[in-house]
Each structure stands twice: as C-alpha cells, then as structure tokens.
Amino acid sequence: MELKGILSLIFLVIFFGIMIGVGIYCRRHATDVNGFVLGGRSVGPWLTAFAYGTSYFSAVIFIGYAGQFGWKYGIASTWIGIGNALIGSLLAWVILGRRTRIMTQHLNSATMPEFFGKRFDSKSLKIGASIITFIFLIPYTASLYNGLSRLFEMAFGIDYTWCIIIMSVLTGIYVIAGGYMATAINDFIQGLIMIVGIIAVIAAVLSQQGGFMEALNGLANVKDPTVTTPGAFNSFFGPDPFNLLGVVILTSLGTWGLPQMVQKFYAIKSEKHIRKGTIISTAFAFIVAGGCYFLGGFGRLFNVDVEALGFDAIIPEMLKGLPDILIAIVVILVLSASMSTLSSLVIASSSTLTIDLLKGNIIKKMNQKKEVLIIRIFIVVFIAIAAVIAIYQAKSQNESVRFIAQLMGVSWGALAGAFLAPFLYGLYWKKTTKIACWVSFVFGAGIMLLNLFFRAAFPVVLQSPINCGAFAMLAGLVIVPVVSLITKKPDKQLVEESFACYEKKVPASQKNSLD
C-alpha cells in the first residue's frame, strides 16, 4: 500500500475509534424518546450549529455539486456557497430557530410530521407528512455515498462496496448507541475536520496553479463551444446566471423545509444559545460551502474528460497531485461530511416512521422503552436499504438504474417543496388551514414526481430538477396563503392554544430586554 493509503488508514482507525467512543459515552442520554431523538432539548449552540452545518453539507456537495456546478458556472459557483450561508443558515436560524424551538416544545412534538398533526389537529396530515418523509429520505440517504467510490479507489485501491459497508456499520453503531447527542458531538468533531480540510485543500490546489491570480487568469482563457462570452468562467455571474440562481434557491431555501434540518432547532437549549448558534452556523457555511464551490470553480483548469467520466470525477482529479498527508485528510473530510448527514437522515427517518406512522395507528400501545427500541431497529433498516441501493447502483450496468439517481436528485425538491411553506406559515400565521397544508404537500411532492417521469413534457426552464424544485418551494409560499384564505377558517380555540406559547411571560436580564 502506498504512503497515502497507510496515512489514510491510520487516520480512519483513529477517526472511527473516536466516533464509536462518543456513541458509547452518550448512551445515558438515549434512554427515552426525548433524549434519543432530541438530546433532551438541552443541546448547546456549538453542537447544534455544527450539527446543522454538517447535516447540510455532505459528500454530495464536496464531490458532486462542487464539481458539477463549478464546471458549469466557473468561479461564479461561489455564489451558491454564499447563498447557503446567508439564506440556508443565517436567515433559517433567524426566522425559524426561535419560533420552532418554542412551539414544538409547547406542542410536545419531536418530528416535523408530529408538528403538523398537533398544530392543525389532524392525524391524517401527520400520516401524510410521515409518508412523504419516508419515501423521499431513503433515496436522499443513498445519494450520500455518491462520489466516495473514486476517492477511496484513489486513496486505497479498495472496492467501493467495502467503503459503503464500513461507513454504514460504524455510523449505525454510534447512532444506535447514543442517539441525537452522540450524533451532535460527532458532528462537531466532523465539522472541525471539514473546516481544516477544505482550507488546506483550497490552498494546495491553488498553489498547483501558481496561486489565486494565475488560476483566475487560467479560467479567463478557458474555451467552451457552448459559451460565447469571453472570460465567462472567471466572471462575476458566470455563463448562465438564471440557472445559477435556481441552484442557489434550491440549495439555500430548501433547508427551511427539510425535516432533518429543522429538527435541529427542536433540540437547542435556550434563547442565548440560538443567537450564538446563528453566528456559528453562518460562519461554518461560509467556510465549508463557500470553500467547496470556490474550489469547484477551478475544475476546468484540470484535464478531466467529463463526458466519459462524469462530473463526480472532477474533484478527485483536482486532488490527485496533492501531498499524501492532504489526501488522507480529504478522505476523512469526505467521510465526515457523509457520516454526519447520514446519521441525521436516519434519525429523522426512523423517528418519524415510529412516532408518526406506527405509534397509535399500527401499534396502539407503545411505551417509551418500546419506542426507542423500534427507532433503533428502523435505523438499522434504513442504513441497510440505503447501502444496498448505493451498491446496486454502483455495480449494475442496467441503464434503468439511472431512475434511482434521478430520484435522489428529486428528493430535496420534493421534501422542501411539500413542507417549507406549511411549516413556515404554521409558525407565524394563525389563518393557515389544514387544506392549504394538504395542497402544498400534494403540489410539492407531485410536481417533482411528474418531473421525474415526464420531464420532457415540462417547459424547458423547469425540465431541470433543480429549477423545478426551486419553483415548487416558491410556489408553495403563494399556494398556502391563497388556499388558506378561500377555505374554511381553522378552529379559533385550537389556534389560540398553539400560539399561546409566544405570549408566555418569562424573566429576562436587562441586556436582553428593555424596561
């Protein structure tokens, strides 16, 4: 084995040892549903902010999206990372963080579907939301493995299947043992690795090109027969500003409606922690997301046959010339990004299926101990399903398997398109109705499924799943208030009881509240 393989292996053993140790240490926090799913609603700002950020940015971002959009838009792809920081992190925390924490505790809801069920007094709404979550989180989970194959083959020369199995088993161990608290602590460690790794990689890659200005000059001279504007790839908005805007909206605003992201606000401890978490999360997104897309913007300076190898080959090709120690760090970086998001997704999937679908519907009586046991069982099931899909997709030569890859791309748009508007208006607007939520659910998930199966029938601008997902989210923000105004008003007592939490008087220090 080469030096980079030996270094990577040493780092991996240490990394996995720490992850499992944290899981075992956090077992005491995972004895009931509140502790296992939400960490007892007492998680501090650093852990919550890093959990939010590492769930947001997976290996799909670093290997897939950074390479693909950097190739398409050049240095202007950095705007995606900036949008992720300002809209996906800063505004999400400011607009959703505090109200989500207050109302979900008031309603005693641990998942997004449970919030819908209690906020609108609708068992059917809770079940519908849980089914949408279950259907679209599984393929999204499987997509986390995309891009890891080339990186691991470059570092170790080992089969992709073993990479998936090892990652799945070790993630499962620490999530099952320690629940949300283990995930949050490991996310913090993994987030630190991601920050150090991305900064080191950017510096090393740019130095290979003679520094930042030389690399920028190189982009100015890139020729592409499909782009007529000279120097488009080192310009402010790139060769295709409209489609770039679609990517920014989908990847930034989308976090507001993703169950595994919003759930982070359920668990944070206090008002003070929300303010700190906002700053930390935004800074993390600027460094990690901004850094990833900034790095990807220089992909055209490297000799990559995209038509033959695909966009996932761009970032690994950029990394080939790095020192062995940096290759080892990158391996840990990408694994950290994948495992942190995987742990967040499987907790969200298993908890919603147990709490929102099985409890009280299929299994009539379920105590706390039994709930936690079933959640743990589903964690194993979901990780196994995602791993099997990823292995099958990688190994199969069947063209129809592209269906799976397409479904993965549709997942983000479907979840955010269905949930973003009902959740946002449910927190802020008393006139939001149950029917409006249903219309948003059906429209968001439905339009993305139609886009998957009948893409050619869509207008050209909406044939891209990214643009279609952005459209679904923005349309939901119009659909919910319009439908709410023309349908039967919600029960006044129910609404007042839900919003009573905002009127509760609490003591505050002078620095936080004027006389």
Side-chain angles (χ1 to χ4, degrees), residues 93-112:
W93 276 75
V94 170
I95 293 173
L96 298 179
R98 185 174 176 276
R99 284 199 170 230
T100 300
R101 175 64 176 81
I102 293 170
M103 188 175 279
T104 56
Q105 184 177 25
H106 176 67
L107 298 176
N108 193 28
S109 60
T111 66
M112 185 179 275

Side-chain angles (χ1 to χ4, degrees), residues 57-85:
F57 310 117
S58 67
V60 177
I61 299 290
F62 185 72
I63 298 293
Y65 279 14
Q68 177 181 348
F69 298 131
W71 188 272
K72 288 183 176 180
Y73 307 121
I75 198 68
S77 63
T78 308
W79 282 109
I80 305 171
I82 294 172
N84 291 172

Side-chain angles (χ1 to χ4, degrees), residues 27-51:
R27 282 183 302 173
R28 59 193 174 92
H29 293 283
T31 55
D32 59 16
V33 174
N34 189 47
F36 190 88
V37 177
L38 299 176
R41 294 188 190 265
S42 60
V43 184
W46 284 91
L47 294 185
T48 302
F50 271 66

Side-chain angles (χ1 to χ4, degrees), residues 354-371:
T354 304
I355 296 169
D356 305 319
L357 201 58
L358 294 184
K359 184 180 178 181
N361 298 312
I362 298 172
I363 303 175
K364 298 298 181 182
K365 293 183 179 180
M366 192 186 296
N367 58 32
Q368 290 277 313
K369 189 175 181 180
K370 193 172 183 179
E371 273 188 75

Side-chain angles (χ1 to χ4, degrees), residues 227-435:
V227 178
T228 56
T229 307
F233 293 105
N234 78 336
S235 64
F236 196 64
F237 289 121
D240 189 2
F242 181 79
N243 282 311
L244 175 61
L245 178 62
V247 179
V248 172
I249 293 172
L250 180 76
T251 61
S252 302
L253 194 60
T255 60
W256 295 29
L258 296 180
Q260 76 279 10
M261 300 297 297
V262 173
Q263 204 165 3
K264 301 296 183 291
F265 300 134
Y266 290 35
I268 199 164
K269 189 173 184 179
S270 69
E271 179 92 19
K272 179 176 67 174
H273 291 149
I274 291 173
R275 288 195 294 272
K276 286 182 180 179
T278 303
I279 297 168
I280 297 164
S281 178
T282 305
F284 182 88
F286 265 118
I287 296 169
V288 174
C292 284
Y293 288 111
F294 176 77
L295 176 67
F298 295 99
R300 285 181 178 264
L301 300 181
F302 295 79
N303 187 25
V304 185
D305 186 353
V306 171
E307 288 190 12
L309 300 175
F311 291 115
D312 285 354
I314 296 171
I315 297 296
E317 189 65 34
M318 295 173 73
L319 303 177
K320 275 187 177 177
L322 298 184
D324 292 336
I325 185 73
L326 267 183
I327 294 289
I329 290 173
V330 169
V331 169
I332 302 299
L333 184 162
V334 175
L335 258 182
S336 296
S338 297
M339 291 177 70
S340 57
T341 309
L342 176 62
S343 61
S344 177
L345 288 171
V346 295
I347 284 182
S349 301
S350 57
S351 60
T352 195
L353 194 60
T354 304
I355 296 169
D356 305 319
L357 201 58
L358 294 184
K359 184 180 178 181
N361 298 312
I362 298 172
I363 303 175
K364 298 298 181 182
K365 293 183 179 180
M366 192 186 296
N367 58 32
Q368 290 277 313
K369 189 175 181 180
K370 193 172 183 179
E371 273 188 75
V372 173
L373 175 62
I374 293 173
I375 290 171
R376 283 179 163 137
I377 291 170
F378 275 126
I379 287 172
V380 175
V381 172
F382 288 147
I383 289 178
I385 292 172
V388 169
I389 291 174
I391 294 169
Y392 179 63
Q393 184 191 356
K395 297 292 184 182
S396 178
Q397 302 299 315
N398 190 340
E399 288 293 316
S400 65
V401 176
R402 289 180 181 176
F403 168 83
I404 297 171
Q406 289 173 334
L407 187 56
M408 292 172 185
V410 167
S411 297
W412 183 296
L415 288 164
F419 296 146
L420 189 157
F423 187 76
L424 177 64
Y425 286 112
L427 291 174
Y428 277 89
W429 195 39
K430 292 183 178 181
K431 294 182 180 180
T432 309
T433 66
K434 180 174 68 174
I435 300 296

